[in-house]
Amino acid sequence: MTATATTVGDLFAVIERRPALAIDADLTVEKDGTAFAVRGYDDLVAVDLPSLGAALELWRDRPVDGPDAAAALDAAGLTAELRVRGAPVARLGADAVPSGLAERLGLGPLELLVDGLLLALTQQRG
């Protein structure tokens, strides 16, 4: 008999009983006219966007709140990494260390990667 999750807590319980997930993906996704790449490497899902603006728009339009998404990724042993033209700017999930700055900015439990953010900003100006 398979249990059906009816609450977020039930979902986490179901996920925790399953073996660790491994993701293998190589996709191009388009949202509102903006194309971006989604690559899966075992327990990391990298989303590579063309600009910081596109990254912020994707974060604002996410279907699940940041804390819920972080908890679900963590329970599944997965990490999502947002990149801007290859430069990692933020992480969410199992391997992320949430930053106080992200919380103060209202971004939720994100790990902001300052070096990647600076590189993404520099690339936009050039």
Side-chain angles (χ1 to χ4, degrees):
M1 174 181 271
T2 304
T4 303
T6 57
T7 67
V8 173
D10 292 342
L11 176 62
F12 292 150
V14 170
I15 290 171
E16 288 174 349
R17 289 192 303 266
R18 294 183 185 222
L21 295 175
I23 305 294
D24 184 15
D26 187 0
L27 307 168
T28 300
V29 178
E30 186 173 322
K31 181 181 182 314
D32 299 331
T34 300
F36 54 93
V38 178
R39 307 276 186 268
Y41 312 96
D42 295 323
D43 61 352
L44 175 70
V45 177
V47 179
D48 199 356
L49 296 138
S51 68
L52 277 175
L56 288 171
E57 187 66 29
L58 182 65
W59 183 251
R60 278 190 219 115
D61 288 346
R62 68 194 181 279
V64 177
D65 285 338
D68 290 341
L73 286 165
D74 190 37
L78 299 174
T79 303
E81 183 173 87
L82 292 177
R83 299 175 180 176
V84 174
R85 290 179 308 284
V89 297
R91 283 192 197 106
L92 182 70
D95 291 334
V97 179
S99 71
L101 176 60
E103 287 289 340
R104 285 190 292 277
L105 291 172
L107 298 174
L110 278 178
E111 175 182 4
L112 293 178
L113 305 168
V114 177
D115 291 347
L117 286 166
L118 292 173
L119 184 57
L121 284 169
T122 302
Q123 290 174 345
Q124 282 188 314
R125 300 185 111 211

